[in-house]
Amino acid sequence: MTARPALVAEPARFVSGERREIKLLEQAHFTLALEAPGYRDDAFYTAQIFASAFGGGMSSRLFQEAREKRGLCYSIFAQIGSYSDTGLMTVYAGTSGDDIKGLAGLTVDELKRAASDISDAEVARARAQMKAGLLMGLESPSSRAERLARLIGIWGRVPDLSETVAKIDALEASDVHAFAAQLATSGAAAMALYGPVSAAPTLDDIQTMLAA
């Protein structure tokens, strides 16, 4: 192929904003996003561990507190999406119009609480889930090929699997606490709402709760 100059992308800029569409539906959809590390950032694995403990499954804090204990939603989860120089920690929930205000407040409260009391056991469980997902992803030839291509595109090499596992195992609860505190106090958030969401707090309300 003919050589061409490399394209230089503009640096990412996280911009707060709110999109709210009120519709007469049975379910209200709530999504909150905070800026997270890109996949070249040293905090990439910390962010993944935090998202798993915070809202990565039925044993996670959000699922247990919002759905199982309080019945505020039908479904709820948190996940990290990483790109070359930035990322997003996104919380999604499906709830009712009557419960959306309480659910939004609970989400913020749990995010702030995670900065101080995520336990060693929760971090260990998240580490195990992350390693299991990594290893099970190597069971098919297509997954292996995708992983190799992705790593070459990011690093220009294929790091040994033991190198990745060592980075995951090195993370402690204190690292996750610090990451959660930084996330909760960053001051920038974005929110999207769809359905019977007129009672939901505004983005300004959410940011005020985060800063309190």
Side-chain angles (χ1 to χ4, degrees):
M1 298 174 66
T2 304
R4 297 181 180 180
L7 297 176
V8 179
E10 291 185 17
R13 293 177 297 108
F14 182 87
V15 179
S16 297
E18 176 184 329
R19 177 66 181 268
R20 181 183 305 231
E21 289 198 24
I22 298 175
K23 297 283 187 179
L24 295 177
L25 304 175
E26 181 179 344
Q27 190 171 155
H29 301 275
F30 165 79
T31 306
L32 179 69
L34 301 163
E35 188 172 21
Y39 48 65
R40 291 191 178 96
D41 195 299
D42 290 340
F44 170 78
Y45 293 106
T46 312
Q48 297 285 341
I49 293 296
F50 168 75
S52 180
F54 184 58
M58 290 188 293
S59 62
S60 68
R61 291 185 160 216
L62 281 181
F63 190 93
Q64 287 295 315
E65 192 66 30
R67 188 182 187 280
E68 297 298 286
K69 293 182 181 179
R70 305 199 191 190
L72 289 174
C73 57
Y74 308 109
S75 64
I76 188 166
F77 62 84
Q79 63 183 15
I80 294 285
S82 294
Y83 309 96
S84 61
D85 59 351
T86 191
L88 288 176
M89 201 285 288
T90 306
V91 176
Y92 165 81
T95 184
S96 69
D98 293 336
D99 289 329
I100 193 167
K101 182 177 180 180
L103 178 67
L106 175 67
T107 300
V108 173
D109 289 344
E110 287 298 309
L111 179 61
K112 294 166 67 176
R113 187 167 71 88
S116 62
D117 70 354
I118 280 185
S119 67
D120 292 335
E122 287 176 291
V123 172
R125 183 169 58 243
R127 283 199 304 257
Q129 289 175 341
M130 190 171 181
K131 289 186 290 185
L134 176 65
L135 295 172
M136 287 189 292
L138 301 177
E139 291 182 351
S140 73
S142 61
S143 295
R144 285 176 174 267
E146 288 171 10
R147 176 177 178 271
L148 294 174
R150 183 169 61 252
L151 292 173
I152 289 292
I154 295 171
W155 302 112
R157 68 185 183 93
V158 180
D160 190 83
L161 194 61
S162 62
E163 182 180 333
T164 301
V165 170
K167 290 181 178 180
I168 296 171
D169 283 339
L171 293 169
E172 303 290 345
S174 58
D175 301 313
V176 181
H177 293 165
F179 174 79
Q182 184 275 326
L183 197 67
T185 59
S186 63
M191 185 170 67
L193 303 154
Y194 186 80
V197 294
S198 57
T202 66
L203 182 60
D204 287 342
D205 295 332
I206 294 288
Q207 292 177 320
T208 298
M209 286 189 282
L210 284 169

